[in-house]
Amino acid sequence: MAEDRRGEAGMTFWEHLDVLRASLLKILAVTAVCGAVAFACKEALFDVVLAPGSSDFVTYRLFGRVGAWIGADGVAEFTVKLINTDLAAQFVIHMKTAACAGVLVASPYAIYLLFRFVSPALYENERRYSVGIVGGAYVMFLAGVLLNYFLIFPLTVRFLAMYQVSGAVENVITLQSYMDTLLLMSLTMGVVFEVPVLSWLLARAGFLTSGYMRRYRKHAVVVILIVAAVITPTSDAFTLLLVAFPIGLLYEVSILLVRMTERGRLRAA
């Protein structure tokens, strides 16, 4: 570690800049290759993206099995009808979706290169904590995206696509609207799942305590229900609670992490 720091100290600003530029070029190259592969695999790509809009989706099949097990009705068959209203929209959406897939697939390599660029300037204990923070934040973001894709977005798109103010009005959803909603909700859930990591960082800095979080737990429940209602604008309490439960669980996990951090600080003192 000391050798790394001495090597870094012997480099000029422009040499550091050259190393960073090389890392960024590698990231762009790998991302472009991954995006190009995703673009070429159009059928497979959109089979995954459009799957939540059909009753054949794995989530609905699971709900159907659970319903049959408890003697309730299964999920009614449905398919969200998507249309395109702009001449170039399908091609543009194809490119955007492939680019997002490329970024997602290449993200571990990008994080690795960026961390390798920064880590020589860190002490051993700083490097250890940095690995935990970056790795934890990345895993939690992916967990939020996956939860949205497999649970929250399917329930939302089914409700909104099937909802009608009158039988005379048929719902025909644009592809652009579908993709924008999927991307926005995925990013939102990914950010929401960073709450434990943020809580841990604030606790390490001494700005947050478990006592404070427990004291305002009731307020947090209200905020969680509001966030769940915004993320999933459905009319039934079951879906609202289904979305609010993992967020509330994240809050409780955050309290445990903060408490463990406090105990660690007391032992160190």
Side-chain angles (χ1 to χ4, degrees):
M1 186 62 207
E3 292 179 359
D4 290 341
R5 293 181 64 87
R6 284 196 297 268
E8 288 290 308
M11 295 176 62
T12 66
F13 170 78
W14 298 110
E15 288 173 334
H16 280 288
L17 196 61
D18 286 338
V19 174
L20 177 60
R21 183 181 61 181
S23 299
L24 293 178
L25 288 176
K26 291 179 182 178
I27 292 172
L28 289 176
V30 172
T31 302
V33 170
C34 293
V37 172
F39 186 86
C41 301
K42 180 178 66 174
E43 296 295 333
L45 177 64
F46 280 92
D47 281 346
V48 173
V49 171
L50 301 180
S54 170
S55 57
D56 291 333
F57 190 55
V58 59
T59 300
Y60 297 122
R61 294 203 304 268
L62 179 60
F63 283 170
R65 292 176 183 175
V66 173
W69 182 66
I70 63 177
D73 294 334
V75 179
E77 292 188 5
F78 73 96
T79 300
V80 177
K81 297 181 180 179
L82 299 178
I83 63 171
N84 175 51
T85 59
D86 189 9
L87 181 63
Q90 292 203 55
F91 180 72
V92 172
I93 290 174
H94 184 191
M95 292 185 63
K96 289 182 178 179
T97 306
C100 291
V103 171
L104 185 63
V105 173
S107 57
Y109 181 70
I111 293 173
Y112 165 74
L113 284 185
L114 293 176
F115 184 78
R116 193 176 69 172
F117 172 75
V118 175
S119 61
L122 303 176
Y123 290 104
E124 188 62 34
N125 62 330
E126 294 174 337
R127 177 183 292 186
R128 185 173 64 254
Y129 284 125
S130 297
V131 170
I133 293 171
V134 174
Y138 182 72
V139 170
M140 292 303 295
F141 183 85
L142 288 183
V145 172
L146 291 175
L147 179 67
N148 175 70
Y149 176 77
F150 284 106
L151 181 63
I152 298 176
F153 180 72
L155 296 176
T156 301
V157 74
R158 179 179 182 273
F159 171 78
L160 295 180
M162 299 295 105
Y163 182 84
Q164 291 178 289
V165 295
S166 171
V169 182
E170 182 180 5
N171 283 334
V172 183
I173 313 301
T174 65
L175 178 61
Q176 182 70 49
S177 175
Y178 179 95
M179 294 301 300
D180 288 346
T181 303
L182 175 60
L183 179 60
L184 178 60
M185 292 182 63
S186 296
L187 289 175
T188 301
M189 286 305 300
V191 171
V192 168
F193 266 60
E194 298 298 331
V195 169
V197 178
L198 179 61
S199 299
W200 183 82
L201 286 174
L202 292 175
R204 288 284 303 177
F207 296 122
L208 186 65
T209 64
S210 58
Y212 179 87
M213 297 183 71
R214 290 194 299 269
R215 189 181 314 119
Y216 288 95
R217 182 183 274 117
K218 295 181 179 179
H219 301 78
V221 170
V222 175
V223 174
I224 288 170
L225 290 174
I226 294 174
V227 171
V230 172
I231 295 175
T232 320
T234 57
S235 60
D236 60 290
F238 173 76
T239 304
L240 177 64
L241 294 176
L242 193 64
V243 175
F245 176 76
I247 303 178
L249 184 61
L250 286 174
Y251 187 82
E252 296 302 324
V253 170
S254 299
I255 294 178
L256 293 177
L257 288 175
V258 172
R259 186 183 304 170
M260 291 171 59
T261 303
E262 291 171 346
R263 290 176 180 175
R265 292 173 62 185
L266 289 176
R267 287 195 298 266

